[in-house]
Amino acid sequence: MKELEERIIKDGKIINGDVLKVDSFLNHQMDPKLFKAMAKEWKRLYEGEGINKILTIEASGIGIACIAGLEFDCPVVFAKKSKTSNTPEHSYSSTVKSFTRGTVNDIFVSNKYLDPEDKVLILDDFMATGEAAKGLADIVHQSGAKLVGIGIAIEKAFQPGGDELRSMGIRVESLARIKEMSQEDGIIFC
Ligand code: 5GP
């Protein structure tokens, strides 16, 4: 998606070679107009698939997923990363290693918000190793719902997650796919 690629070139900062910082429009300050254009693109790509639920993971996925929920006219559920006193008793859970923090989290979703009739689109901001997306796909699988596909804002295609998920037969639609990035040569898209 040209608009997103241009924004990445304009405002993205490469950290340590394999982490892209996009805090000014995606991960900290958020640009709702850009999110709306991204949502429209996912809607176009998944037209006719009957998606009636969007699933994401806290925290960075929530903003884009919520705007996409308006476009798809459906509820948005986010997987939680920490248990609190109001954690639902009955939940689907999976284990995810965080790419940016290096920590391992149990993620969970109440069984009230996913059921076998659901046709689910998973959305997230980044795809790197695919851990987060695989954890969310596992939760959809446990619920008996249908996983229609995954929508990613920025896929770092030089990391294995996207291709691994595609080779599992899962449809992955990434709006910007980075082939290579370095401080010297900048960002090159696929
Ligand atoms: P994965 O589970 O695919 O390895 O990583 C996906 C998650 O890690 C995303 O939810 C995102 O929050 C974070 N992440 C992975 N790579 C990057 C990156 O280059 N920049 C930022 N800001 N977050 C990333």
Side-chain angles (χ1 to χ4, degrees):
M1 184 184 155
K2 202 159 180 293
E3 190 179 345
L4 179 60
E5 290 184 358
E6 284 171 359
R7 192 62 177 272
I8 293 167
I9 296 288
K10 183 169 159 274
D11 292 331
K13 304 258 178 306
I14 301 163
I15 316 273
N16 300 331
D18 62 357
V19 174
L20 179 67
K21 196 167 172 177
V22 285
D23 273 24
S24 65
F25 64 95
L26 190 65
N27 289 136
H28 194 12
Q29 175 169 264
M30 295 182 280
D31 181 344
K33 271 195 188 156
L34 177 65
F35 286 13
K36 193 172 173 188
M38 288 159 50
K40 282 185 187 298
E41 182 60 4
W42 281 314
K43 180 82 166 73
R44 187 188 69 75
L45 289 162
Y46 284 103
E47 196 64 66
E49 295 284 357
I51 288 162
N52 71 333
K53 198 153 285 184
I54 291 172
L55 177 66
T56 188
I57 183 165
E58 67 176 351
S60 300
I62 296 176
I64 52 175
C66 218
I67 303 269
L70 289 170
E71 210 54 50
F72 281 82
D73 193 21
C74 75
V76 176
V77 180
F78 66 90
K80 297 194 172 205
K81 285 182 181 162
S82 56
K83 300 224 170 200
T84 60
S85 53
N86 65 1
T87 295
E89 211 180 308
H90 301 289
S91 53
Y92 306 113
S93 68
S94 195
T95 304
V96 168
K97 184 164 185 230
S98 162
F99 175 75
T100 42
R101 290 171 212 267
T103 53
V104 176
N105 290 298
D106 285 331
I107 60 164
F108 61 93
V109 171
S110 166
N111 65 356
K112 278 195 283 187
Y113 304 126
L114 278 179
D115 64 53
E117 284 79 51
D118 285 333
K119 292 184 175 176
V120 180
L121 174 65
I122 290 174
L123 291 182
D124 204 5
D125 58 344
F126 273 93
M127 174 84 80
T129 62
E131 278 279 309
K134 282 179 203 158
L136 293 171
D138 179 28
I139 282 178
V140 175
H141 182 70
Q142 288 172 40
S143 74
K146 181 180 176 197
L147 176 59
V148 176
I150 299 176
I152 297 292
I154 305 171
E155 176 181 342
K156 292 181 290 177
F158 56 87
Q159 292 182 290
D163 285 341
E164 277 177 20
L165 282 146
R166 290 183 187 97
S167 71
M168 290 160 69
I170 298 173
R171 181 175 175 192
V172 181
E173 297 286 358
S174 304
L175 304 184
R177 297 186 75 226
I178 298 175
K179 188 163 93 179
E180 289 166 28
M181 63 182 202
S182 65
Q183 309 275 7
E184 302 75 41
D185 301 326
I187 297 166
I188 299 163
F189 294 99
C190 292

